[in-house]
Amino acid sequence: MNKSFLTNLIAAAVFAAGYYFEEPLALYGGLFALSGSLTNLLAVHMLFEKVPGLYGSGVIQARFEAFKLGIKSLMMDQFFTQENVDRFLNKEMSGGAALNLEPVIEQIDFNPTFDGLVEVINNSPFGGMLAMMGGSEALAPLRQPFVEKMKNSVVDITQQDNFREALKGQIEQPEMMGDITANIESVIEQRLDELTPEMVKEIVQKMIREHLGWLVVWGGVFGGVIGVISALVAA
């Protein structure tokens, strides 16, 4: 069962029981828990989907150009540096070895990409709602899953036939080091230009949406605690 649905169901059940039995602790605890979990559920939904009338919703799709630019900068600044290209030419291509970029990708630090995504969210209208849920720290548990998915995505891009053919074709040219970086950048741009806002949303969604469900759970827990405290204070 979906943990977000289960959290809302439990909160609603506690609220209903408190109302039926006229028990203030259960009534307030359930009401605040339901309010917290539903609010966080809406926030998670707004992160990925455009909701009519709610300014700032659908931030992932709205900022897909920045997301694509981040991927390009990551690959060109950390992967296809002069040092990495030289290492690749000296080791990977010696003796006609097949193109295998995965070992190099495994050494790349993808944390700046996650930090960039968090910054985009914080600087968007969604940032205020995120601050109510704990700010950037609330997204910290998503860092490792995001990094792993990003590595897989970059590996997938480098395993595309047209990417491999373009790279191999340039390497086989006598003057390859003169413009190899520019050609690789052109191939990456071409592949990224094929992305649509919906595809970007799906990429990010697959990376982190499952883990964002815990925001709903903790919203219900903290809301319930606040509700119980409120009931005790009002008693």
Side-chain angles (χ1 to χ4, degrees):
M1 182 179 292
N2 184 283
K3 53 180 170 285
S4 298
F5 176 77
L6 183 60
T7 301
N8 289 321
L9 181 63
I10 293 175
V14 172
F15 168 69
Y19 179 81
Y20 183 80
F21 293 106
E22 297 184 353
E23 174 54 54
L25 288 179
L27 178 65
Y28 281 89
L31 178 61
F32 277 66
L34 185 61
S35 174
S37 62
L38 286 177
T39 299
N40 285 8
L41 181 63
L42 177 60
V44 171
H45 180 76
M46 288 174 58
L47 181 62
F48 297 103
E49 305 293 344
K50 182 70 176 178
V51 180
L54 294 183
Y55 176 72
S57 59
V59 63
I60 296 297
Q61 292 172 285
R63 300 300 299 272
F64 85 104
E65 288 292 346
F67 182 79
K68 291 196 301 182
L69 182 61
I71 295 177
K72 175 187 171 183
S73 298
L74 170 73
M75 297 187 71
M76 297 308 301
D77 296 342
Q78 296 196 47
F79 183 30
F80 289 109
T81 62
Q82 184 69 44
E83 294 77 10
N84 282 341
V85 171
D86 288 339
R87 188 184 306 116
F88 174 77
L89 293 176
N90 292 332
K91 296 182 180 180
E92 295 292 331
M93 295 301 294
S94 60
L99 295 174
N100 181 20
L101 307 180
E102 186 171 357
V104 182
I105 296 175
E106 286 296 328
Q107 301 177 24
I108 298 176
D109 181 13
F110 285 83
N111 285 288
T113 304
F114 179 81
D115 294 335
L117 176 62
V118 173
E119 183 179 355
V120 167
I121 296 174
N122 279 329
N123 292 335
S124 71
F126 186 78
M129 187 173 296
L130 179 63
M132 297 173 58
M133 300 184 291
S136 300
E137 293 301 320
L139 301 178
L142 310 179
R143 180 178 296 273
Q144 189 57 35
F146 180 90
V147 167
E148 292 176 358
K149 293 292 186 181
M150 275 300 302
K151 285 184 178 181
N152 293 335
S153 297
V154 174
V155 169
D156 289 342
I157 290 176
T158 60
Q159 289 179 346
Q160 296 290 331
D161 289 340
N162 61 346
F163 181 93
R164 288 172 173 268
E165 291 172 2
L167 180 58
K168 188 174 181 179
Q170 285 302 313
I171 291 176
E172 292 173 348
Q173 297 296 322
E175 65 280 5
M176 58 183 176
M177 293 306 298
D179 58 357
I180 186 173
T181 301
N183 281 275
I184 292 175
E185 184 174 2
S186 176
V187 173
I188 292 174
E189 287 181 347
Q190 180 180 356
R191 294 295 299 168
L192 291 178
D193 284 342
E194 296 175 5
L195 292 176
T196 65
E198 183 66 23
M199 292 168 65
V200 171
K201 185 200 77 171
E202 290 178 358
I203 290 173
V204 179
Q205 198 171 41
K206 289 179 181 178
M207 291 179 183
I208 64 177
R209 186 160 196 171
E210 177 182 353
H211 302 276
L212 284 176
W214 285 107
L215 289 178
V216 179
V217 175
W218 288 113
V221 172
F222 291 128
V225 172
I226 295 173
V228 170
I229 295 175
S230 300
L232 292 175
V233 171

